[in-house]
Amino acid sequence: MYPRPIPETAVWQRRLYVLAVVIVLLLWLCPLFAIILTSFRSTEDVMGGNLWGWPTGIGVIDNYTAVFTQTPMARYFLNSLIITIPSVIGVLALSTLAGYVLSRYRFRGNMLIFALFVGGNFLPHQIMMIPVRDLMVQLDLIDTTAALIIFHVAFQTGFATLFMRNFIAALPDELFQAARAEGASPFQTLVHVAIPLVRPALAALAILIFTFIWNDYFWAVVLTVSDSVKPVTAGLANLRGEWVSAWNLISAGTIVVAVPPVVMFFLMQRHFIAGLTMGAVKG
C-alpha cells in the first residue's frame, strides 16, 4: 500500500530521489516566484512589456501601497474576514456537535444521517449554483455577506462532521463511561471530556476550513455583485482594467490575499500537525 523506503545503501537511488524532489519543488514554486517578481515591477516595466525579464525598476513600496490606496482592496479584505471568521466558528461548532452525537450515540437512522453528511461532499458546486442563488433571492439575502456565511457553513459542515466524527469515535469509551458514572450530562461530557482531547483536530480543521472559505471564488462571484460585499477573491478580478491591466498591482494584491492563510498555518503549525497525526500511533 505504501511505497517502500529507499535503503541507505542505494546511494544513487537516494540522490536521484532528492534531485527529483528539488525539480518538482522548483516547478511548483515557479508561478509563485513569477507573481512575487511581478509585484516588485514598476509601472514603466509593465507598460513596456517586461513581464518575464528581471525588473529594471523596483516599485515594491509603491505597488503594495497602491493596492490599498488606489483600489477597494481594504474593503474586500475586511469582507473576507467578516465572511470567513463566523463561517469557521459555525462549522466547528456544528461539526463538533454532530460528530459527537453520531460517534457516541446509536439510534435508528444514525448511519443514514451520517451518509447524508458525507454524500453532500460529492455534489459538484456547479449543479447547486441556480438552486442556491434562487434560494438566496427568495430569502432576500443575495449580495450580502450573510448569503456567503450561510452557504459556507452549510456546505463545509459535511466534510467537517466526517472529520470530527472519526476523531471523537477514536477516543476511549472508558472516559465517557466514567463521565456518565460521575453524573455528567451529555453536553458536560462533550465540553469537559471530548473537546479537550480533540483540540488538535479542531485546530487542524480550523486551518483547512479557513483556507477553503478564504480562497473561494466561485460562490463569491455567484452570490455577490457590489464591491461593498465582495471578498478578496472576487475583488481581485475587478482590478483588471477593460483595456490595460496593471499586472504589478494585481500581483501585489494576490500576495496580500495569500498572506492570512499562510500566517494562520504557521501560527498553528504545531496543532495542525498534531491534529493530522492523532491516532496514527498507539500509545
Side-chain angles (χ1 to χ4, degrees), residues 216-274:
D216 171 69
Y217 175 75
F218 182 80
W219 291 106
V221 174
V222 171
L223 298 178
T224 63
V225 178
S226 58
D227 286 346
S228 60
V229 179
K230 286 183 178 179
V232 287
T233 48
L236 275 175
N238 287 359
L239 298 185
R240 292 190 59 183
E242 184 176 358
W243 308 109
V244 178
S245 295
W247 292 110
N248 51 340
L249 298 187
I250 295 174
S251 298
T254 302
I255 299 300
V256 170
V257 170
V259 167
V262 174
V263 171
M264 184 175 181
F265 173 77
F266 281 108
L267 289 177
M268 304 181 68
Q269 183 179 12
R270 179 170 59 88
H271 301 289
F272 180 75
I273 295 173

Side-chain angles (χ1 to χ4, degrees), residues 12-262:
W12 283 106
Q13 291 183 24
R14 295 177 70 88
R15 289 179 179 176
L16 288 175
Y17 175 78
V18 172
L19 179 62
V21 170
V22 171
I23 292 174
V24 171
L25 181 62
L26 290 176
L27 291 175
W28 184 75
L29 290 176
C30 273
L32 177 61
F33 178 74
I35 292 173
I36 294 175
L37 197 62
T38 303
S39 72
F40 291 171
R41 299 183 190 279
S42 62
T43 303
E44 291 74 15
D45 254 5
V46 176
M47 293 301 179
N50 183 19
L51 298 177
W52 298 103
W54 193 259
T56 58
I58 303 298
V60 56
I61 297 179
D62 294 337
N63 292 341
Y64 283 88
T65 302
V67 166
F68 290 99
T69 57
Q70 299 180 16
T71 71
M73 183 55 66
R75 179 72 250 181
Y76 300 148
F77 202 90
L78 179 60
N79 289 341
S80 284
L81 292 176
I82 293 173
I83 293 166
T84 305
I85 293 176
S87 298
V88 171
I89 294 173
V91 170
L92 292 180
L94 291 176
S95 63
T96 302
L97 292 170
Y100 175 68
V101 171
L102 292 173
S103 64
R104 288 295 158 184
Y105 294 91
R106 295 293 178 264
F107 54 89
R108 182 176 296 179
N110 180 295
M111 291 307 299
L112 176 60
I113 295 175
F114 181 58
L116 291 175
F117 275 106
V118 176
N121 296 311
F122 296 98
L123 291 175
H125 289 197
Q126 291 79 0
I127 68 172
M128 296 186 291
M129 180 179 69
I130 295 177
V132 169
R133 193 180 189 282
D134 289 345
L135 175 63
M136 294 305 170
V137 170
Q138 293 174 8
L139 295 176
D140 197 25
L141 292 176
I142 195 70
D143 198 29
T144 65
T145 56
L148 286 169
I149 293 172
I150 291 172
F151 174 80
H152 285 308
V153 170
F155 191 81
Q156 299 294 341
T157 298
F159 164 75
T161 298
L162 170 64
F163 193 90
M164 293 306 302
R165 186 252 186 196
N166 292 340
F167 276 106
I168 297 176
L171 298 177
D173 291 333
E174 292 78 8
L175 294 174
F176 296 91
Q177 293 172 2
R180 284 195 295 269
E182 293 292 331
S185 65
F187 185 75
Q188 289 174 326
T189 304
L190 169 65
V191 172
H192 298 291
V193 177
I195 290 180
L197 293 175
V198 298
R199 192 173 298 164
L202 285 171
L205 184 61
I207 295 174
L208 292 174
I209 299 300
F210 184 94
T211 304
F212 294 159
I213 297 175
W214 183 272
N215 292 334
D216 171 69
Y217 175 75
F218 182 80
W219 291 106
V221 174
V222 171
L223 298 178
T224 63
V225 178
S226 58
D227 286 346
S228 60
V229 179
K230 286 183 178 179
V232 287
T233 48
L236 275 175
N238 287 359
L239 298 185
R240 292 190 59 183
E242 184 176 358
W243 308 109
V244 178
S245 295
W247 292 110
N248 51 340
L249 298 187
I250 295 174
S251 298
T254 302
I255 299 300
V256 170
V257 170
V259 167
V262 174

